[in-house]
Amino acid sequence: MPYLWRELECPIYATPFTGCFLRHKMSEAGPGKKPKIIDMPVGSSVEIGPFSLELVELTHSIPEMQAVAITTSAGVVMHTGDWKFDENPLIGPVSNYDALTKYGDGNVLAMVCDSTNVFEEGESGSEGEVRKELIKMISECKQRVVVTTFASNLARVATLIMAAKETGRVVALAGRSLFRVVEAAQESGYLPEDLDFVNDKEMMNLPRKDVLLICTGCQGEPRAALTRISRGEHPNLRLSPGDKVIFSSRKIPGNEIKISGIQNRLVQAGIEVVTGKYEMIHVSGHPAREELKRMYAMVRPKISVPTHGEPRHLHEHAKLARSLGVKETVEAYNGAIVLLEQGDANVVGKVQAGYVAIDGTSMIPTDGEIIRTRRKLRDDGAIFVTIAADKNGEYDIRLSAPGILDKNEDQEFIAECIAEVGDALASVRRTSDDQIAEAARLTIRKALKRELDKKPVIEVHVVRV
């Protein structure tokens, strides 16, 4: 948000907890214009342009999760966002089933709905069951306990604080995002203001059996606290053989290698690692198939637009929606423009969409020339050729290839490349700088492909003397 908002400078509507969290985050973004954040109480309504929006309470791992019922001249679009059904959510109320049913009775044109757990049978499970298991597991440990989870999962953070209290342990936090979430939760009334945390230095001086550390890094993020701890790079925190690390989270597809790297390093250091594979220490914040069926039974949309998932998730969700009597489904993708018209719902266009990277103070597209060149430099290296050309058509050629060729061991090949460039330049009829550079570039490319089977970045500089 601190980066994207500066490109848009639009008003931001948020529920109180989200608005509080966002104000803290935006204040850390440094000088510059700050956004207008408009607080919307849970379950409230607002008119924005031609649209009337009503928030509908749903449960999730983050408090104040709200579906948005968007009333338009063409009908109502129900956008669920992330959600689940949990009769014992621990943080916030249960889902507003009456409001969902009311909209279903009133003829919903389309529903844009979470697909993340569409392959999971049954229901996603209750946070209340996780709390019981974590309290039991922590009470059985005789040494230091570390739990890593999503920083945004306030229900889990609250569970761990309660587990520490019931097992006679003090709580320490590690990870900036965790501090942000806890601070916003205290200001919003979801956590007590008088919680007493110890800092990481204090924690290391306490008996190991008296400490519970909650930290970031459950997805193997390179700069997260647990990653740095596992590498021995954290400035204050160290773990000892016999300590226990609990991964109270699920692996997001694509993060498996990073997470396994952390777990392997911890195990090698003699630390016990516990995951949710065999223990009830995590439940998803997204709906499984039975919850999806209940949602469709209440909302009864004419059109289903699956979202939040990979193509296989969207496709399976569309199949499920059709089996539940939904007449039309649209399997969209990032950047798709979808026409929501009964009898002709489909993708009708595309806009540019994709990841952007923060590069210093700039935002650059990850599929743009700058990032492509950096990847090529990483994989194949670079060669720099300098050609000094005089008015008589004589050339002095220098070549360097750091990271590709050794200037001592590869002297013969370097001399061979320079000679081949010289021969190529001798056959160039017209001698503009661009023609000289292109002839040299093609010659070097062929030589590198022939000898090393590599395609490095080749930079040629022509200097007139």
Side-chain angles (χ1 to χ4, degrees):
M1 288 297 291
Y3 302 99
L4 296 176
W5 182 82
R6 290 171 181 170
E7 299 291 315
L8 302 171
E9 294 195 354
C10 58
I12 298 172
Y13 294 82
T15 54
F17 171 78
T18 309
C20 180
F21 183 88
L22 187 55
R23 287 184 183 94
H24 283 291
K25 193 168 182 66
M26 296 297 285
S27 68
E28 298 173 2
K33 190 175 180 181
K34 295 296 187 290
K36 180 181 181 181
I37 301 175
I38 303 163
D39 282 334
M40 289 186 65
V42 295
S44 62
S45 301
V46 65
E47 301 288 328
I48 304 178
F51 306 110
S52 175
L53 290 78
E54 181 181 2
L55 303 184
V56 179
E57 292 173 294
L58 295 176
T59 48
H60 187 48
S61 52
I62 301 171
E64 300 178 354
M65 182 60 220
Q66 308 282 292
V68 184
I70 308 168
T71 300
T72 78
S73 59
V76 173
V77 177
M78 180 69 73
H79 196 306
T80 68
D82 292 353
W83 63 279
K84 64 184 290 185
F85 290 144
D86 186 348
E87 306 310 317
N88 186 19
L90 304 184
I91 293 285
V94 298
S95 300
N96 190 337
Y97 303 118
D98 290 341
L100 294 171
T101 303
K102 179 197 75 173
Y103 275 104
D105 293 340
N107 211 2
V108 172
L109 172 65
M111 182 163 68
V112 183
C113 189
D114 186 353
S115 309
T116 311
N117 279 345
V118 68
F119 289 105
E120 302 296 326
E121 296 292 343
E123 299 188 354
S124 57
S126 172
E127 187 66 29
E129 293 303 312
V130 173
R131 179 168 291 187
K132 294 176 186 176
E133 184 61 29
L134 281 172
I135 291 173
K136 176 176 176 292
M137 183 177 293
I138 292 168
S139 68
E140 293 172 349
C141 186
K142 305 305 180 186
Q143 300 196 62
R144 190 180 290 122
V145 177
V146 179
V147 183
T148 181
T149 189
F150 297 100
S152 59
N153 191 338
L154 184 58
R156 193 67 41 78
V157 173
T159 284
L160 293 169
I161 292 170
M162 177 179 286
K165 183 177 180 180
E166 294 206 11
T167 56
R169 293 174 180 261
V170 297
V171 177
L173 303 178
R176 249 175 108 192
S177 53
L178 265 173
F179 284 99
R180 279 202 205 101
V181 167
V182 168
E183 188 174 10
Q186 289 176 308
E187 291 184 23
S188 305
Y190 289 102
L191 289 177
E193 293 186 6
D194 59 352
L195 287 175
D196 188 19
F197 299 108
V198 298
N199 62 43
D200 47 16
K201 290 183 180 179
E202 292 171 331
M203 187 197 91
M204 295 304 295
N205 292 323
L206 293 172
R208 293 157 70 188
K209 65 181 179 61
D210 295 338
V211 171
L212 171 63
L213 173 66
I214 308 172
C215 68
T216 56
C218 66
Q219 298 304 306
E221 301 92 330
R223 297 172 61 187
L226 186 60
T227 307
R228 298 168 71 194
I229 292 170
S230 73
R231 290 175 174 160
E233 297 172 355
H234 196 282
N236 299 316
L237 295 171
R238 297 288 184 274
L239 298 183
S240 305
D243 290 345
K244 179 181 288 187
V245 175
I246 300 171
F247 282 75
S248 185
S249 58
R250 64 181 291 185
K251 292 180 181 179
I252 294 176
N255 293 338
E256 294 90 348
I257 293 176
K258 292 184 291 184
I259 296 170
S260 296
I262 291 176
Q263 293 174 349
N264 286 329
R265 288 192 294 271
L266 293 171
V267 169
Q268 287 173 335
I271 295 155
E272 183 181 354
V273 173
V274 181
T275 69
K277 187 171 184 180
Y278 302 110
E279 307 288 350
M280 182 60 174
I281 54 175
H282 176 70
V283 290
S284 176
H286 305 272
R289 291 180 77 88
E290 288 305 314
E291 291 158 282
L292 286 168
K293 291 176 183 178
R294 287 175 60 193
M295 178 66 82
Y296 276 97
M298 284 184 282
V299 178
R300 303 188 295 283
K302 303 293 187 299
I303 303 166
S304 170
V305 184
T307 187
H308 298 180
E310 300 170 11
R312 63 193 181 95
H313 296 90
L314 307 187
H315 183 67
E316 182 65 21
H317 187 155
K319 287 169 56 180
L320 176 64
R322 288 193 293 270
S323 74
L324 298 173
V326 179
K327 300 297 183 183
E328 296 180 84
T329 61
V330 181
E331 296 177 38
Y333 49 85
N334 290 343
I337 300 172
V338 178
L339 173 66
L340 297 178
E341 182 179 10
Q342 194 171 346
D344 192 28
N346 66 98
V347 175
V348 295
K350 180 180 180 181
V351 297
Q352 182 179 356
Y355 288 104
V356 292
I358 306 304
D359 186 42
T361 58
S362 304
M363 286 196 304
I364 56 177
T366 56
D367 58 352
E369 180 62 28
I370 293 175
I371 297 298
R372 283 200 301 269
T373 300
R374 289 183 187 177
R375 291 193 183 109
K376 193 167 181 62
L377 287 168
R378 177 197 65 198
D379 295 336
D380 292 316
I383 288 186
F384 304 94
V385 182
T386 302
I387 302 172
D390 64 20
K391 60 183 179 180
N392 299 318
E394 298 294 327
Y395 302 106
D396 183 18
I397 303 166
R398 303 295 170 88
L399 183 152
S400 64
I404 300 179
L405 300 175
D406 186 295
K407 63 180 180 181
N408 295 317
E409 295 187 5
D410 295 314
Q411 282 184 357
E412 185 177 336
F413 179 59
I414 292 172
E416 184 180 324
C417 288
I418 291 174
E420 290 184 20
V421 171
D423 292 341
L425 296 182
S427 64
V428 175
R429 293 182 181 179
R430 298 172 64 186
T431 55
S432 72
D433 289 359
D434 288 344
Q435 290 170 326
I436 292 171
E438 185 61 19
R441 187 178 294 108
L442 290 173
T443 302
I444 295 295
R445 182 179 297 160
K446 290 177 183 177
L448 266 292
K449 178 66 176 174
R450 181 183 71 234
E451 296 294 328
L452 303 178
D453 194 27
K454 294 183 76 69
K455 294 181 179 180
V457 174
I458 302 172
E459 287 291 324
V460 181
H461 300 278
V462 180
V463 180
R464 294 288 179 174
V465 296

